[in-house]
Amino acid sequence: MIDTPTSPVGAALDRRVLAYPATVAVVHVGILLAPTPGLSARVIAVVTGGSALALAWWLRTQGASSVVLVAYAGTVGGLAGLTVGALRVSDRLWVAALTVVLAFLTLTYGLHRYELVRLGLVDTGVADR
Amino acid sequence: MRVTRRFWTVVGVGAVLVGGAVLFARPVLLDGAAVIGAWLLATQALFIGRLARLDDGLSIDQSVQPQRVPTDVNVQVTLSVTVDQESPLAFRVESNPPVTAVGSTQADRTLDITPRTREATANYLLQMPTAGAFTFDPATVTIGDSAGLFSETIDRGSTPTVEIQPRAPRHIHVGEGGQAVATAFGEHEVGRLGTGLEPAELREYQAGDAARRIDWKATARLGHPFVREFEAETDRTTALVVDHRTPLGHGPAGETKLDYLREVALAFIASTQELDDPLGLYTVGDDGLTGREQPEAGPQQYATIRTRLQTLRPITGERVPDGETATAADTTFRSPGDARRAADRLATQDDAFSTTLHPYFETTSPYIERIKGDPLFRAVEVTLTRIRGPVWTVILTDDTNPAECRETVKLARRGEDQVLVFLAPSVLFEPGGLGDLEQAYDRYREFEEFRRDLAQLERVSALEVGPGDRLEAVLSSHRNRRQERRTSYR
């Protein structure tokens, strides 16, 4: 049930769907090896931005529209901003982690509900009335 | 929307980053988790958008041909899928026949639609072993996203209904010469007046009439005493003689001669029960009497006879090959009276032909022996002649042995009794019997002559029983040919 890629590049990328998030994880874990004092905000921004661009590239190869790409960029920025904001409000890192996870779950569930309504898979009770 | 194992793998990668951020106190790992989370959300949004567009332009049709069939007959189902604009999504459409359907595999019923395919069609056959009206469920459409992270299943498409008819007689025709009779089975007029419930007539009071029989309203209206007469009520013993020998099993499964005759017999039971008349049943197989229920009235008796009839099957023996089935034509009826008249005519002539044939007509003993050897005749002889009082005998048989049938009917008349005969014309039941409609009509005409011959007997009524649609096919074919001939003469 996987879409047939439109180009050889797309085919190669498609076979490596999991490689993209895995690479993002590996790059970020690699930062752990770097000493904390030497990790500037600019380096973090470059690493995170590079990762986001790599995944945006994959989305583009899949034919994602500009709207989806803008929404994706907004979501990356929003989640990253949420992390920073949570850290400013509370010094506890687990609070920030929990905030990011809850935000992700909420958005996923919201999209799921939107899909159900859009496809008419939810009994709204209109027919009964 | 369902998520796949691949989705959970990606979520797991993100969870590792979140856990690592908390464990090692490195907030940068949360940024990595946020990027992966955003990517998952974008992929989900991309899939939902494509799914909605596909659903808007998707047209699925399930059609069934024919829509009305007997049980266990093939039904062709056509599943056609049309997409009004190309979609990058691959999907699978599975037709959903009723659960009772058999004869098709899941692969037969499934269409795999590749991306950018606009149309696809699948045909498959199925059968329904049970009768009834069955409605298809909408087709199940399973769609997956290009990354293999999500899938969705929706039900779409038409829901045709197929009507499965039981293998039982349909269009039962009971009549004479192709014309249906409207009289309810079992109705019988006594032919005399007396006391009862059904008013018959008014007559003037005569000396000797009981005062309670005076109709006071009529008397007041007419100025003279009047008595109202009613239809006399009586119980009439009815004896059903059902032939279930091998030839009665001819015909399509569930629509044999016996099946049609059985329906008539069951109608008789209902009618007799309504009148509360005594009813008996005698069943005749290849070797003679196979069942006997002496005439009695009462719900138990009717129930017993109904059960016996419903479980009655043609005696399975050496089945007569279809081409060798005896008909009215090749078993030309010749009674002892006919033989005697023929012998008299031959005796008056002295040519070689008459001299040769005369000895064959002189003796009637082989005929009598043949008739006496007929199971139906023997059964009637053994049973009906022992019943006391008037009996209305109803014989249900076919035209395979016309001579024996005629003698049986004559025997069943006994003294002053009436006989009703239901005959199933063999030509309407044989496989390929209607292959040549002209020949079928000729055979039906021979049957009709035989039926009329029976009906002309005193106190005998003879009716034909068979599939009305097949009979109509034979008769209308003949009418059309006659019409064409008339047109060509002009």
Side-chain angles (χ1 to χ4, degrees):
Chain A
M1 279 294 178
I2 293 177
D3 192 358
T4 306
T6 53
S7 67
V9 175
L13 291 172
D14 189 61
R15 282 193 292 272
R16 294 177 178 80
V17 171
L18 288 177
Y20 283 80
T23 304
V24 171
V26 167
V27 168
H28 281 80
V29 170
I31 296 175
L32 281 176
L33 300 174
T36 309
L39 201 62
S40 67
R42 181 178 291 180
V43 172
I44 292 173
V46 166
V47 170
T48 305
S51 301
L53 278 175
L55 295 185
W57 163 256
W58 182 86
L59 286 172
R60 190 66 191 160
T61 60
Q62 296 300 306
S65 63
S66 303
V67 175
V68 172
L69 290 175
V70 169
Y72 165 68
T75 309
V76 170
L79 290 176
L82 208 58
T83 308
V84 174
L87 282 172
R88 286 192 178 167
V89 171
S90 168
D91 287 339
R92 293 169 182 167
L93 198 56
W94 68 266
V95 174
L98 188 63
T99 305
V100 171
V101 169
L102 286 177
F104 169 74
L105 291 176
T106 305
L107 288 171
T108 299
Y109 184 68
L111 282 172
H112 170 65
R113 292 300 301 178
Y114 167 76
E115 182 232 1
L116 293 181
V117 174
R118 177 69 175 77
L119 297 179
L121 301 177
V122 177
D123 182 12
T124 57
V126 172
D128 296 338
R129 284 200 295 274
Chain B
M1 179 182 289
R2 290 194 309 273
V3 294
T4 64
R5 188 178 291 179
R6 187 178 285 188
F7 172 86
W8 288 116
T9 305
V10 177
V11 169
V13 171
V16 166
L17 289 179
V18 171
V22 176
L23 279 175
F24 301 108
R26 296 297 176 95
V28 69
L29 294 182
L30 277 184
D31 289 341
V35 170
I36 291 174
W39 179 75
L40 280 175
L41 288 167
T43 311
Q44 187 179 0
L46 183 65
F47 174 58
I48 291 171
R50 288 174 172 173
L51 184 57
R53 278 194 296 278
L54 172 69
D55 187 41
D56 289 343
L58 187 63
S59 172
I60 297 174
D61 183 53
Q62 299 182 96
S63 60
V64 182
Q65 205 57 250
Q67 292 176 328
R68 184 181 296 177
V69 289
T71 52
D72 293 322
V73 169
N74 278 340
V75 174
Q76 176 163 316
V77 183
T78 302
L79 172 67
S80 58
V81 177
T82 310
V83 184
D84 68 352
Q85 57 181 352
E86 289 184 355
S87 169
L89 295 176
F91 59 99
R92 170 174 290 179
V93 182
E94 185 182 348
S95 175
N96 287 321
V99 287
T100 53
V102 295
S104 65
T105 63
Q106 189 182 20
D108 297 334
R109 304 191 298 265
T110 303
L111 268 177
D112 280 321
I113 314 291
T114 54
R116 280 165 276 281
T117 300
R118 300 279 299 274
E119 284 183 2
T121 304
N123 293 300
Y124 64 94
L125 298 173
L126 53 79
Q127 301 95 40
M128 303 278 197
T130 51
F134 299 96
T135 302
F136 281 56
D137 288 332
T140 302
V141 186
T142 307
I143 309 149
D145 78 318
S146 55
L149 298 170
F150 308 98
S151 71
E152 183 56 279
T153 301
I154 53 178
D155 292 331
R156 293 290 183 267
S158 54
T159 56
T161 298
V162 59
E163 190 181 323
I164 307 298
Q165 296 166 328
R167 286 190 175 274
R170 287 170 289 135
H171 311 296
I172 299 176
H173 164 83
V174 180
E176 299 170 324
Q179 299 295 316
V181 292
T183 309
F185 309 138
E187 284 184 0
H188 49 84
E189 294 168 359
V190 176
R192 60 188 168 81
L193 302 175
T195 54
L197 292 175
E198 293 290 329
E201 65 176 26
L202 280 173
R203 66 168 174 78
E204 280 197 51
Y205 177 82
Q206 293 173 351
D209 285 337
R212 62 186 171 82
R213 295 185 60 195
I214 295 174
D215 187 323
W216 294 108
K217 286 183 180 174
T219 301
R221 196 166 59 244
L222 299 169
H224 297 285
F226 273 81
V227 170
R228 183 174 292 280
E229 293 281 12
F230 292 86
E231 285 280 358
E233 286 184 346
T234 181
D235 286 340
R236 180 159 63 177
T237 301
T238 304
L240 288 176
V241 180
V242 182
D243 184 357
H244 66 118
R245 288 177 287 178
T246 306
L248 274 293
H250 290 175
E255 297 175 40
T256 61
K257 292 178 195 172
L258 181 61
D259 290 320
Y260 276 85
L261 294 172
R262 188 199 329 268
E263 293 297 320
V264 173
L266 289 171
F268 244 99
I269 295 175
S271 177
T272 309
Q273 189 165 6
E274 203 171 301
L275 300 167
D276 202 26
D277 282 346
L279 179 68
L281 173 71
Y282 305 95
T283 55
V284 183
D286 285 336
D287 295 324
L289 205 61
T290 58
R292 181 200 317 235
E293 293 291 336
Q294 296 292 8
E296 276 180 41
Q300 183 62 41
Q301 172 78 349
Y302 302 132
T304 304
I305 291 179
R306 190 176 289 117
T307 306
R308 290 287 299 273
L309 274 174
Q310 284 166 339
T311 55
L312 200 64
R313 298 285 175 268
I315 292 294
T316 51
E318 191 64 31
R319 192 185 168 105
V320 181
D322 295 319
E324 296 173 29
T325 306
T327 64
D330 52 20
T331 318
T332 307
F333 167 70
R334 195 173 283 278
S335 69
D338 292 338
R340 205 162 35 251
R341 280 189 290 277
D344 291 344
R345 278 203 305 275
L346 290 170
T348 58
Q349 298 166 8
D350 52 0
D351 56 302
F353 178 74
S354 304
T355 310
T356 307
L357 285 182
H358 185 252
Y360 293 103
F361 285 85
E362 272 191 330
T363 175
T364 56
S365 58
Y367 172 86
I368 293 168
E369 283 168 15
R370 179 161 61 89
I371 295 296
K372 285 204 164 186
D374 180 64
L376 188 63
F377 183 89
R378 213 167 52 228
V380 169
E381 186 178 39
V382 169
T383 56
L384 294 186
T385 50
R386 294 180 185 173
I387 301 174
R388 290 180 182 174
V391 178
W392 188 29
T393 305
V394 181
I395 300 175
L396 299 106
T397 183
D398 68 349
D399 59 344
T400 305
N401 301 303
E404 288 83 348
C405 180
R406 181 184 164 101
E407 292 307 309
T408 305
V409 170
K410 286 163 73 176
L411 178 69
R413 287 186 304 175
R414 308 196 310 174
E416 292 295 318
D417 287 349
Q418 294 196 338
V419 180
L420 176 58
V421 190
F422 288 99
L423 292 167
S426 294
V427 64
L428 300 181
F429 292 89
E430 289 166 3
L434 302 191
D436 182 346
L437 285 173
E438 197 161 353
Q439 192 182 0
Y441 178 77
D442 291 340
R443 290 188 58 195
Y444 174 73
R445 205 171 56 187
E446 287 160 10
F447 163 82
E448 177 59 15
E449 283 170 11
F450 167 57
R451 188 199 63 75
R452 280 188 195 163
D453 186 41
L454 280 183
Q456 280 169 1
L457 293 172
E458 206 175 341
R459 301 188 309 281
V460 174
S461 302
L463 298 172
E464 63 198 357
V465 176
D469 49 349
R470 290 170 75 86
L471 178 58
E472 180 56 29
V474 173
L475 296 178
S476 61
S477 165
H478 174 69
R479 280 195 297 268
N480 292 341
R481 277 200 307 277
R482 202 169 51 185
Q483 186 71 29
E484 285 170 12
R485 277 200 294 272
R486 281 181 187 164
T487 311
S488 62
Y489 288 149
R490 286 172 193 164

